[in-house]
Amino acid sequence: MKSLISSHLEDCIIDRFHLSQLVTRSLNQTRIKLMNRYDTSNSEDKKIYRKLKAYWKLLLKKQNRLKRF
């Protein structure tokens, strides 16, 4: 079984698009898990929850492309 898996992995090619897609999906899943920890009936938790929900695209941007407010 192990040799079967390793023989297939040798043919695997990782390109930039799929690597970026994998990282983006993983980050989004982690963000959602973190959001689910907050109790939205608590006002402080609700503020953090809304920031995570509203500004998730900022997490994906390169630092030099972020504008200061």
Side-chain angles (χ1 to χ4, degrees):
M1 181 71 171
K2 193 173 185 179
S3 62
L4 178 68
I5 294 171
S6 34
S7 67
H8 282 51
L9 286 178
E10 290 173 1
D11 298 331
C12 183
I13 298 173
I14 299 174
D15 60 293
R16 285 183 172 179
F17 170 76
H18 289 99
L19 183 62
S20 174
Q21 184 183 48
L22 178 67
V23 170
T24 302
R25 284 182 179 172
S26 297
L27 183 62
N28 199 36
Q29 288 174 352
T30 304
R31 179 186 62 87
I32 291 169
K33 285 180 185 177
L34 181 63
M35 288 172 62
N36 287 334
R37 290 183 183 177
Y38 289 102
D39 178 20
T40 54
S41 62
N42 181 349
S43 65
E44 289 300 315
D45 282 356
K46 194 170 190 171
K47 287 179 186 178
I48 297 170
Y49 177 89
R50 286 186 185 220
K51 286 179 183 177
L52 285 169
K53 186 173 178 88
Y55 301 119
W56 67 272
K57 287 186 180 180
L58 292 177
L59 297 172
L60 303 177
K61 283 195 172 188
K62 292 183 179 180
Q63 185 176 3
N64 60 354
R65 292 193 166 232
L66 293 173
K67 295 181 181 178
R68 298 201 179 241
F69 292 95

